[in-house]
Amino acid sequence: MYLQTIKAAVLLCLWLTVSGVGASYVPQEMNKTIQNLLQYYKIPNAVRFNGNPVFPKDLMKMVFMHGVLETYEELIGRMLSQLPTATPPLASSGTTSNHDSGGGAQVKADVRSKLTYVLGKIQYLKRHRYQEQEKLLLSLQSLKSIQMSNRTVQSKALWELPQLFEKASSLADDKMRRRRRRRQARNRMHLKA
């Protein structure tokens, strides 16, 4: 067990170093939130690193990235809906019971809060950086076949999210920089004419 923990820590450090998760596009709080969620959606490392990512890396283009963000939005929405809702304590008598019914509820409330935070970040990125891609996405039906209720898929998707979020952010910025350069070049041409 101890050796597996060390191996997991080494793999995590290696992944964080290689993938550049600490870069400016992924907020530190979001990264920490995802790491905390991974403790709740825990799967064995052999399953997580089996060479079958939820979202293949070779398809990372603007249109696909919008689809990935949309799928994460649906996946995290489903994860939120699978969490039990908090029920208020029954006040049938003036006494309160001593059995602990709130410990698990507090953990689930914390998970709900963290999932809601991540969902908000994804929605903001999608809304502000990938609006024009929505029309083109209708042809990408392969993302709809992802098993949203599968806990392994959920855990692996959370694990992949920081790297995908980083790529999604940088692709959108690259596109905006190219547009800005073209606009500036056109303005210079009009000034010279």
Side-chain angles (χ1 to χ4, degrees):
M1 182 68 171
Y2 179 72
L3 190 56
Q4 286 178 334
T5 305
I6 291 175
K7 185 178 178 182
V10 169
L11 284 173
L12 176 63
C13 290
L14 180 62
W15 182 76
L16 292 173
T17 303
V18 171
S19 66
V21 171
S24 62
Y25 292 110
V26 180
Q28 185 177 3
E29 181 66 22
M30 181 178 178
N31 207 7
K32 187 174 20 170
T33 301
I34 290 170
Q35 295 308 314
N36 288 336
L37 285 168
L38 284 169
Q39 294 302 312
Y40 184 80
Y41 291 96
K42 190 173 272 195
I43 61 172
N45 284 335
V47 174
R48 183 179 315 283
F49 302 111
N50 65 1
N52 297 318
V54 176
F55 303 104
K57 308 294 184 246
D58 58 336
L59 298 174
M60 297 301 144
K61 303 286 182 205
M62 283 292 280
V63 174
F64 185 74
M65 190 55 70
H66 182 275
V68 168
L69 290 172
E70 193 168 85
T71 304
Y72 266 111
E73 188 177 14
E74 184 180 340
L75 174 72
I76 292 174
R78 177 101 27 110
M79 292 160 73
L80 277 167
S81 71
Q82 287 176 344
L83 290 174
T85 57
T87 56
L90 297 176
S92 58
S93 67
T95 62
T96 59
S97 64
N98 286 338
H99 74 282
D100 182 25
S101 63
Q106 179 60 36
V107 168
K108 288 185 173 90
D110 189 42
V111 168
R112 180 176 300 284
S113 169
K114 290 173 182 174
L115 285 171
T116 302
Y117 171 79
V118 171
L119 180 61
K121 287 294 191 180
I122 290 168
Q123 290 170 335
Y124 178 84
L125 177 64
K126 193 179 95 177
R127 187 172 49 249
H128 292 283
R129 305 277 177 94
Y130 291 90
Q131 293 172 352
E132 67 270 6
Q133 307 306 323
E134 199 144 352
K135 296 172 193 164
L136 299 171
L137 257 181
L138 296 173
S139 62
L140 292 178
Q141 295 301 319
S142 65
L143 293 175
K144 299 299 179 192
S145 65
I146 293 175
Q147 300 170 352
M148 299 287 182
S149 298
N150 183 313
R151 193 165 181 95
T152 299
V153 169
Q154 293 170 347
S155 181
K156 287 176 80 168
L158 279 172
W159 179 261
E160 295 171 15
L161 180 58
Q163 187 175 11
L164 290 169
F165 193 89
E166 178 73 23
K167 286 182 180 184
S169 299
S170 66
L171 283 172
D173 278 353
D174 290 347
K175 184 176 181 182
M176 287 190 314
R177 275 190 225 107
R178 284 193 303 272
R179 279 187 184 161
R180 191 177 307 123
R181 276 188 247 136
R182 282 194 304 264
R183 190 173 47 245
Q184 289 171 346
R186 275 193 306 253
N187 289 340
R188 280 188 224 125
M189 293 301 285
H190 287 291
L191 291 175
K192 289 181 182 180

